[in-house]
Amino acid sequence: MAAIVTETFTANGRTYHPPARPVVVACLDGCADEYLDAALARGLMPNLGRMAATGHRSLARGALPSFTNTNNASIATGAPPSVHGISGNFFLDPATGETVMMNAARYLRAPTIFAAAASAGRRVAVVTAKDKLREILAHGLHGISISAERARECRRETHGIEDVEELVGEPAPAIYSAAASLFVLRAGVLLLERGLADFLYLSLTDYVQHKHAPEEREALAFMAAVDVELGRLVGAGAVVGLTADHGMNAKQTPGGEPNVIYLATRLEELGFKGATVVLPITDPYVRHHGALGSFACIHLRDRSGAAPLARRLLEEPGIVEVHDRETAARKLELPEDRIGDLVVLAGRTAALGTRVEEHDLAALEGGLRSHGGRYEEMVPFIVSAPLSAPYARQAALDLRNFDIFELTVNGAGRS
Amino acid sequence: MAAIVTETFTANGRTYHPPARPVVVACLDGCADEYLDAALARGLMPNLGRMAATGHRSLARGALPSFTNTNNASIATGAPPSVHGISGNFFLDPATGETVMMNAARYLRAPTIFAAAASAGRRVAVVTAKDKLREILAHGLHGISISAERARECRRETHGIEDVEELVGEPAPAIYSAAASLFVLRAGVLLLERGLADFLYLSLTDYVQHKHAPEEREALAFMAAVDVELGRLVGAGAVVGLTADHGMNAKQTPGGEPNVIYLATRLEELGFKGATVVLPITDPYVRHHGALGSFACIHLRDRSGAAPLARRLLEEPGIVEVHDRETAARKLELPEDRIGDLVVLAGRTAALGTRVEEHDLAALEGGLRSHGGRYEEMVPFIVSAPLSAPYARQAALDLRNFDIFELTVNGAGRS
């Protein structure tokens, strides 16, 4: 096994002092803290329990909107969306007037920790469940970048490795499955155990959390399976950091129906014209959330209508915050040119849509559980080794999920 | 021991079907979920661990502002502040123009569950740490109501019991102590074990949480001691519900100094005149928070200045929400006549004050940890027995901390 390089590197104003042991950070997609609590209470996550007892466990603020691409980009850069530019999965590009997916590296405005670590000599591997993330996260990276979704398509020239299914010892699972996340973790374990990587980022999918509440059997079984792999990562000598991109809440009426505010329809009913509603949760993977989240952007033909519209929207039940572009950029740390004239956040139990006919509710396969707003902003933050004193002080004040690499590398890596 | 009465009763639109076993609800004042996690991870709360594994554990939304009196009144009535009227510890009474404490029963606008349960024949006991709460919670109650703070002053005619120190077997502790909370729990255990009460509400104090972060030795020792008493409550045959009035966050700069926005001073600097800043956290017990919380009300001489002031305040770092009276009443479920013309909420790391000279920062005895805003709204919610199916469904959607009596009595009491 090659020696592990400990050269210092920097990214986006932070300096990293990597230890001479492997570093693994995993993003447990959509893993609200309640999932961990429910599994821990039943003795299903003994490895996580040990990490929390001997290392550090607390809650951290994620980035808003509490979506996957936004928060993965934050974790990958150690910076908020105002710096890295990824304000959602999907946005209305003001340059073209078209709504487009934000899953291409050209939308990323900041270098990643991965590229910097690789330049400093670390053997970096980025493993994602969904391929949508891989291009953003692998930007500028000389190393391994693979996804469970397209494991079969990995080539040495483009992905830094091939024969991923052989490495993991199992066929790549369907993307809509718990197995997709477990494949990511197992790929991480194998890359680590075989000495193919010593600086890893493993980003799961929230398929299970979208479908199941924390105390449901399926969620508990998933967390138990995750825990097995966490134990292997720690057992292989890595310092391990865990966080999530966002939490997850039921967006349902007391009767169990999707609780959705259809904003485009509502704006028409209220007589507001010239508004385009953009839902940044939109991505090609709608089966688990139907493109319904708790965050929306509104673009107005006439911006002078923003203030009265904001006031009126705040009267709607289920909507908890409405900010104009400047306030949203400042308060929610968002890139001003990618969020429209108003941003709207729904509460714990409500989701935002455009028009009912534009969402495939039948595709939800059960009750709507989703994310995107302030109530899915707080996420778990766990490091497998004790934090050094300055980082322990920071952790007792206010952590962000995108501090996870700094705390894992600098705060716990040398302990 | 007298037979336990199971007569149905109602309060504020909810119907309670009490079981033929004791019911105990405890409010773990200021107990953010992280305190439980930190203690559980270290094996210090085995009884709580069993409750979570065999019963139910999740997170619930409290009432805003996330203050003690507001949330205790909500738990006691099963209703939001818009119904019960207790919008803080302290308010500007529009009838007199004076700021007054809101700890007198005349401010309470809704009957309590305790009074209703006692009328239905339950032997009710309300035990609080601070005496400020006792009068509100005991309003209309034919039963026992005592506080640790004034345990020595309890008389049968006024408190339903006397010789409380003899009952508990120890002298009443100082109110600024971990022991004050433990005294409350022990009083509850003894009242239960002696058959003096079969429907109990035990409301602790957040002295420890104001002073210590979850992973600190003192916090862990406190949670371990709480757990011993929880075990005794369950062991005595009670169905036990646990929640908190609010969470707790460090309101400090990265250097550890109090991170306070002095609103009255700031308004003067900004040239806004005729504004009175009221801090509803204010109470006679300032030693642990210095009257600094994350929620403030602003009364304006000229209400037409509300909108520009709201916009300007939202530009201040640390302030995350500013609502006018109507919006605050609607969105935060507050009584419109007790909140002023604007309400201001600070973020996870910031507190709101009036002027630096009006706060005794030296009295903080260490770093500022406080509450009052949206980031202290989510609290633990635990029931010691399994929830029946309809309540389990409700719990998987959205719980409020003031659902705790309904879920403990109706949801778990008969299991």
Side-chain angles (χ1 to χ4, degrees):
Chain A
M1 200 177 292
I4 294 179
V5 176
T6 59
E7 195 183 317
T8 290
F9 62 90
T10 65
N12 304 305
R14 300 192 197 223
T15 301
Y16 299 85
H17 307 283
R21 61 191 285 206
V23 171
V24 180
V25 167
C27 175
L28 308 177
D29 193 332
C31 194
D33 206 50
E34 296 98 304
Y35 287 94
L36 303 182
D37 288 340
L40 284 165
R42 289 159 181 82
L44 298 173
M45 299 194 84
N47 293 302
L48 184 79
R50 269 188 290 275
M51 289 170 67
T54 59
H56 173 80
R57 179 184 177 196
S58 60
L59 292 177
R61 283 189 299 141
L64 288 169
S66 45
F67 290 140
T68 293
N69 283 16
T70 304
N71 278 275
N72 271 274
S74 282
I75 294 167
T77 58
S82 52
V83 172
H84 62 63
I86 307 294
S87 56
N89 306 336
F90 187 77
F91 84 120
L92 192 152
D93 188 340
T96 64
E98 300 290 315
T99 48
V100 288
M101 296 302 300
M102 217 187 295
N103 54 3
R106 69 174 177 281
Y107 297 115
L108 189 68
R109 292 171 169 165
T112 69
I113 296 165
F114 315 135
S119 293
R122 294 294 288 217
R123 297 157 70 86
V124 176
V126 171
V127 187
T128 64
K130 298 176 183 175
D131 204 65
K132 71 171 177 181
L133 265 178
R134 205 187 55 84
E135 186 184 338
I136 292 179
L137 299 184
H139 184 54
L141 168 64
H142 296 286
I144 293 169
S145 69
I146 58 179
S147 72
E149 186 179 17
R150 301 209 182 152
R152 259 163 253 165
E153 300 165 30
C154 295
R155 295 290 167 266
R156 188 163 301 279
E157 309 76 55
T158 48
H159 297 74
I161 193 170
E162 52 197 32
D163 299 331
V164 171
E165 291 180 321
E166 277 179 33
L167 173 78
V168 181
E170 56 185 272
I175 188 63
Y176 290 108
S177 69
S181 287
L182 299 176
F183 188 90
V184 171
L185 289 170
R186 286 173 193 149
V189 168
L190 270 296
L191 289 167
L192 188 63
E193 289 178 349
R194 302 275 170 89
L196 297 169
D198 56 40
F199 195 99
L200 294 90
Y201 180 57
L202 311 176
S203 186
L204 314 190
T205 167
D206 54 5
Y207 174 79
V208 170
Q209 290 89 344
H210 271 291
K211 288 176 66 72
H212 300 289
E215 293 191 338
E216 287 181 41
R217 186 173 46 80
E218 295 87 344
L220 294 168
F222 175 63
M223 298 314 303
V226 166
D227 192 71
V228 170
E229 306 308 324
L230 297 180
R232 293 175 71 191
L233 292 170
V234 172
V239 56
V240 177
L242 301 174
T243 189
D245 47 355
H246 54 77
M248 186 72 69
N249 281 305
K251 309 289 180 179
Q252 299 174 37
T253 65
E257 294 300 306
N259 184 25
V260 184
I261 302 157
Y262 292 103
L263 279 176
T265 303
R266 195 73 192 109
L267 292 181
E268 282 162 22
E269 289 169 357
L270 295 170
F272 287 95
K273 294 186 201 308
T276 303
V277 175
V278 174
L279 303 175
I281 195 176
T282 308
D283 71 13
Y285 311 83
V286 296
R287 250 176 66 199
H288 47 350
H289 55 59
L292 295 163
S294 293
F295 184 95
C297 298
I298 301 178
H299 296 256
L300 298 173
R301 208 156 49 211
D302 174 9
R303 290 189 61 181
S304 71
L309 178 54
R311 277 196 298 277
R312 182 60 190 82
L313 282 176
L314 213 45
E315 294 180 18
E316 296 291 304
I319 291 177
V320 292
E321 294 177 62
V322 183
H323 300 293
D324 63 26
R325 185 194 298 264
E326 293 71 25
T327 307
R330 191 172 50 235
K331 291 290 171 194
L332 311 184
E333 307 167 296
L334 288 168
E336 221 176 277
D337 55 332
R338 291 180 175 177
I339 55 175
D341 300 299
L342 289 177
V343 307
V344 183
L345 284 80
R348 191 185 190 202
T349 63
L352 302 170
T354 52
R355 296 173 173 83
V356 68
E357 60 270 24
E358 292 176 358
H359 296 273
D360 185 2
L361 298 182
L364 291 177
E365 296 182 344
L368 176 61
R369 300 176 56 78
S370 195
H371 53 94
R374 189 80 74 168
Y375 284 89
E376 295 84 32
E377 182 191 16
M378 299 303 297
V379 291
F381 192 104
I382 293 142
V383 183
S384 64
L387 298 175
S388 61
Y391 285 102
R393 275 195 295 278
Q394 179 186 341
L397 296 181
D398 181 44
L399 287 176
R400 308 300 302 268
N401 63 352
F402 53 83
D403 295 329
I404 189 70
F405 267 104
E406 185 178 348
L407 268 75
T408 305
V409 170
N410 295 352
R414 288 162 184 283
S415 61
Chain B
M1 200 178 292
I4 293 179
V5 176
T6 60
E7 194 181 318
T8 290
F9 62 90
T10 65
N12 304 306
R14 300 192 196 223
T15 301
Y16 298 84
H17 307 284
R21 63 192 283 204
V23 171
V24 181
V25 167
C27 176
L28 308 178
D29 193 332
C31 193
D33 206 49
E34 296 97 306
Y35 287 94
L36 304 182
D37 288 340
L40 284 165
R42 289 159 181 80
L44 298 173
M45 300 194 83
N47 293 302
L48 183 79
R50 269 188 291 276
M51 290 171 67
T54 61
H56 173 79
R57 179 183 177 196
S58 60
L59 292 177
R61 283 189 298 143
L64 289 169
S66 45
F67 289 141
T68 293
N69 283 16
T70 304
N71 277 276
N72 271 273
S74 281
I75 293 167
T77 58
S82 51
V83 171
H84 64 63
I86 307 295
S87 55
N89 306 334
F90 186 77
F91 83 121
L92 191 152
D93 189 340
T96 63
E98 300 290 315
T99 48
V100 289
M101 296 302 300
M102 216 186 297
N103 54 3
R106 69 174 177 281
Y107 297 114
L108 188 68
R109 292 171 170 166
T112 69
I113 296 165
F114 315 136
S119 294
R122 293 294 289 216
R123 297 157 70 86
V124 176
V126 172
V127 187
T128 64
K130 298 177 183 174
D131 205 65
K132 71 171 178 181
L133 265 178
R134 207 187 55 84
E135 186 185 337
I136 292 178
L137 300 183
H139 184 55
L141 167 63
H142 296 286
I144 293 169
S145 68
I146 57 180
S147 72
E149 186 179 17
R150 301 210 181 149
R152 261 164 252 165
E153 299 165 30
C154 295
R155 294 292 166 264
R156 189 162 299 279
E157 310 76 54
T158 48
H159 298 74
I161 194 169
E162 53 198 30
D163 298 331
V164 172
E165 290 180 320
E166 279 179 31
L167 174 77
V168 181
E170 56 185 274
I175 188 63
Y176 290 108
S177 69
S181 287
L182 299 176
F183 188 89
V184 171
L185 288 170
R186 286 172 193 150
V189 168
L190 271 296
L191 289 167
L192 188 65
E193 289 179 350
R194 301 273 169 89
L196 296 169
D198 57 41
F199 196 99
L200 293 90
Y201 181 56
L202 312 176
S203 187
L204 312 191
T205 167
D206 55 4
Y207 174 78
V208 170
Q209 289 90 344
H210 271 291
K211 287 177 65 73
H212 300 289
E215 293 190 337
E216 287 181 39
R217 188 173 45 80
E218 296 87 344
L220 294 168
F222 175 64
M223 297 314 304
V226 166
D227 191 72
V228 170
E229 306 307 325
L230 297 180
R232 294 175 70 191
L233 293 170
V234 171
V239 56
V240 177
L242 301 175
T243 190
D245 48 354
H246 54 76
M248 187 72 70
N249 281 306
K251 308 289 180 180
Q252 300 174 36
T253 64
E257 294 299 306
N259 183 25
V260 184
I261 302 156
Y262 292 102
L263 279 175
T265 302
R266 196 73 191 108
L267 293 180
E268 283 162 22
E269 290 169 356
L270 295 169
F272 287 96
K273 295 187 200 307
T276 303
V277 175
V278 174
L279 303 175
I281 195 175
T282 308
D283 70 12
Y285 311 85
V286 296
R287 251 176 67 199
H288 46 351
H289 54 59
L292 296 163
S294 293
F295 185 95
C297 298
I298 301 178
H299 296 256
L300 297 173
R301 207 156 50 211
D302 174 10
R303 290 190 59 182
S304 70
L309 178 54
R311 276 196 298 278
R312 183 59 191 83
L313 282 176
L314 212 46
E315 294 179 19
E316 295 291 303
I319 290 178
V320 291
E321 293 177 62
V322 183
H323 300 292
D324 63 27
R325 185 194 299 261
E326 294 70 26
T327 307
R330 193 172 49 237
K331 290 291 171 196
L332 311 184
E333 307 167 295
L334 288 168
E336 221 176 277
D337 56 331
R338 292 180 174 175
I339 54 175
D341 300 300
L342 290 177
V343 307
V344 183
L345 284 80
R348 191 184 190 203
T349 62
L352 302 169
T354 52
R355 296 175 173 81
V356 67
E357 60 270 24
E358 291 175 1
H359 296 273
D360 185 3
L361 298 182
L364 291 178
E365 297 182 342
L368 176 61
R369 298 176 56 79
S370 195
H371 53 93
R374 189 80 75 170
Y375 284 89
E376 295 85 32
E377 182 191 15
M378 299 305 296
V379 291
F381 191 104
I382 293 142
V383 183
S384 65
L387 298 176
S388 61
Y391 285 103
R393 274 195 296 277
Q394 180 186 341
L397 296 183
D398 182 44
L399 288 176
R400 308 299 303 269
N401 62 351
F402 52 84
D403 295 329
I404 189 69
F405 267 104
E406 186 178 346
L407 266 76
T408 306
V409 170
N410 296 352
R414 289 161 183 284
S415 60

